[in-house]
Each structure stands twice: as C-alpha cells, then as structure tokens.
Amino acid sequence: MLKLNFTKSIAAYLKEKLNLTPDEEEVALYGLQILIYTFTGFLAICLIGWLLGCFWTTLAVCLTAAGLRLFTGGAHSNSPLTCTLLGMVMVPLLGKIASLTAPFFTPLNVSLIIIPGFIISLIIIWRLAPVDSPAKPINSLEQRKKLRFYSVAMVLLLALGQAFLLIKGQALTVVLALSLGLWWQTFTLTKTGHRFAIFTDNFKLRKEGKRNEAPLL
C-alpha cells in the first residue's frame, strides 16, 4: 500500500520555518493528517458511493455518523490513515446495503426495523457518550454533560426527520441509510467497537511487519 508520507514533509517544513520543537512538530503532523485524510476520505467515500450507484445513501450514512461523532466521540485507530481507509470501506458498504434492501420494504416494515435500533442506540449513547480518547480527552464534567445532551438531541432530531419521511412514504432508502449511520457510530462507542479498532490496528501492524521482513529486490 502506498504510504501518504507527504504530511511528514509538510510538518518538517513547518518545523524549519517556525522553529518548532519535536513535540510541536508531532502535534502539527497529527493535525495535518486529520485534516487531509478527513477531506480526501470524504471525497473518496462520495466517489465510491457514486461508482456503486448509491451516492445519496452513502452520503446519508457518512453525514450521520460523522455528525454524531463530533459529540459522541468513539473508538479511534492509532493511525488517521487507518480510520480513513476503514471509513472508505464501511460507509459505502452501508450505503449500498440501504439502497439494495430498502426497495423491498414498506414504510411500516422500515419502521419496525429502525424503531428498535433507535431505542437501543439512544440508550447506548445516553449511557456511554461522550467517549473520549488520549488524543482528545474530556477533562470537564460540564463539557461531558453538554456533549451528552447534544448527542441525544441529535439522535432525536434524526428520528424526527426519519418519522417525517416515513409518514410521507418517501426516500425509504435514505431513512434506512440514516439508521445505518446511527448504528455504526453507536457501535464505535461500545467495548466491541473498541476491540474492532484494536483489531484493525493490529492487522495493519502485522501486514507492515510482513512487508518489512521481505527481502529487498
């Protein structure tokens, strides 16, 4: 896999021009990776969704999960690139699932699917959100309460939007995609979601280890 190491070159340039310390250079590098990988990842997700014929459902999954993540936090990979690549796989996959399955359902059928998922997600988010990380700790109890409130409020607003579409009998694919985005983000809050993030990190390290041990040709 091609390594996107141009961020290191930019961080090294900033270090030289701004006289940054090694710690400041690491912070700058991490920030650059987050910005660049997030932007390119979003474009790649939209492109993959378009190529798969499920652009709108992919966009619905992406915006729901990303919007919720701003408030709920969730499991993190050790590498921003790994997070981006995982999103490029999972989000279009969920969007395609929504586009393929929704036409087989009526609004009532979709309601019977998403309502239990909504209740379970709301309970998990209320109990676990926000989930911080070492790179982005939450040190204030008041901030934690605000983030939990915003998380729950967003889930409720999402449910209202879905209810409106279901009553109108429109955009069932988007309704289902919104729930898939909600469920995916809720999954990242759980212990299983964290174990999955650890698994992807370990898998990446094993693959890199195998490449590093290969003889040079």
Side-chain angles (χ1 to χ4, degrees):
M1 181 188 298
L2 178 65
K3 286 184 175 292
L4 303 178
N5 284 334
F6 62 90
T7 52
K8 292 185 178 180
S9 300
I10 298 175
Y13 175 80
L14 292 175
K15 178 183 179 183
E16 180 180 348
K17 292 299 181 180
L18 301 177
N19 295 320
L20 300 180
T21 65
D23 287 342
E24 289 172 336
E25 182 185 11
E26 285 296 318
V27 172
L29 174 61
Y30 184 78
L32 284 169
Q33 288 178 334
I34 292 296
L35 289 174
I36 293 174
Y37 292 154
T38 299
F39 178 71
T40 56
F42 176 74
L43 292 181
I45 286 170
C46 291
L47 176 61
I48 294 171
W50 178 71
L51 292 174
L52 293 176
C54 54
F55 173 80
W56 292 111
T57 52
T58 297
L59 185 62
V61 172
C62 183
L63 294 180
T64 301
L68 270 172
R69 192 173 183 85
L70 291 174
F71 305 119
T72 65
H76 285 267
S77 170
N78 290 331
S79 166
L81 179 57
T82 303
C83 282
T84 300
L85 294 176
L86 181 61
M88 289 167 58
V89 173
M90 290 303 304
V91 174
L93 175 61
L94 294 174
K96 190 64 177 178
I97 290 173
S99 67
L100 289 176
T101 58
F104 296 99
F105 299 128
T106 65
L108 178 59
N109 296 144
V110 173
S111 299
L112 294 176
I113 293 172
I114 68 173
I115 289 175
F118 160 76
I119 294 173
I120 294 172
S121 297
L122 186 61
I123 292 173
I124 292 174
I125 288 173
W126 173 257
R127 293 189 60 185
L128 300 181
V131 176
D132 58 359
S133 67
K136 193 178 180 181
I138 301 174
N139 299 317
S140 167
L141 180 59
E142 185 172 343
Q143 182 187 12
R144 185 173 293 278
K145 289 181 179 179
K146 285 183 178 179
L147 290 173
R148 178 181 289 114
F149 172 79
Y150 293 145
S151 300
V152 172
M154 186 169 180
V155 174
L156 294 176
L157 287 174
L158 179 67
L160 286 176
Q162 290 177 296
F164 175 79
L165 292 175
L166 286 172
I167 291 172
K168 293 290 186 179
Q170 299 175 347
L172 295 185
T173 54
V174 173
V175 171
L176 187 55
L178 292 173
S179 284
L180 289 174
L182 168 64
W183 299 342
W184 171 250
Q185 179 54 30
T186 302
F187 170 74
T188 69
L189 304 180
T190 64
K191 291 182 179 180
T192 304
H194 282 75
R195 285 194 290 268
F196 180 73
I198 294 172
F199 169 79
T200 57
D201 283 333
N202 291 339
F203 178 78
K204 179 174 180 291
L205 288 174
R206 286 196 297 269
K207 298 293 285 185
E208 289 181 346
K210 290 179 180 178
R211 288 197 296 268
N212 290 338
E213 292 168 3
L216 297 176
L217 299 180

Short mmCIF file of all heavy atoms in Angstrom, two decimals, residues 23 26 31 77 122 169 176:
data_model
loop_
_atom_site.label_atom_id
_atom_site.label_comp_id
_atom_site.label_asym_id
_atom_site.label_seq_id
_atom_site.Cartn_x
_atom_site.Cartn_y
_atom_site.Cartn_z
N ASP A 23 8.08 18.02 19.84
CA ASP A 23 6.70 17.76 20.29
C ASP A 23 5.70 18.57 19.47
O ASP A 23 4.63 18.08 19.08
CB ASP A 23 6.55 18.10 21.77
CG ASP A 23 7.23 17.09 22.67
OD1 ASP A 23 7.50 15.97 22.18
OD2 ASP A 23 7.49 17.41 23.84
N GLU A 26 5.19 17.01 16.13
CA GLU A 26 4.29 15.85 16.19
C GLU A 26 2.84 16.30 16.20
O GLU A 26 1.98 15.69 15.55
CB GLU A 26 4.60 15.01 17.43
CG GLU A 26 5.86 14.16 17.32
CD GLU A 26 5.74 13.11 16.23
OE1 GLU A 26 4.66 12.49 16.12
OE2 GLU A 26 6.70 12.90 15.48
N GLY A 31 -2.26 16.96 13.31
CA GLY A 31 -3.32 17.84 12.83
C GLY A 31 -3.43 17.84 11.31
O GLY A 31 -4.54 17.82 10.76
N SER A 77 -8.61 4.57 15.82
CA SER A 77 -7.43 3.84 15.41
C SER A 77 -6.19 4.66 15.79
O SER A 77 -6.27 5.88 15.97
CB SER A 77 -7.45 3.58 13.90
OG SER A 77 -6.21 3.07 13.47
N LEU A 122 -30.19 4.98 21.35
CA LEU A 122 -30.41 6.08 22.30
C LEU A 122 -29.94 5.70 23.70
O LEU A 122 -29.29 6.51 24.40
CB LEU A 122 -31.89 6.47 22.32
CG LEU A 122 -32.26 7.70 23.14
CD1 LEU A 122 -31.56 8.94 22.61
CD2 LEU A 122 -33.77 7.90 23.14
N GLY A 169 -44.02 8.64 3.21
CA GLY A 169 -43.78 7.46 2.37
C GLY A 169 -42.72 7.69 1.33
O GLY A 169 -42.76 7.10 0.24
N LEU A 176 -33.41 4.43 5.82
CA LEU A 176 -32.65 3.27 6.28
C LEU A 176 -31.16 3.60 6.38
O LEU A 176 -30.49 3.18 7.33
CB LEU A 176 -32.85 2.09 5.32
CG LEU A 176 -32.25 0.75 5.74
CD1 LEU A 176 -32.75 0.34 7.13
CD2 LEU A 176 -32.57 -0.33 4.72
#
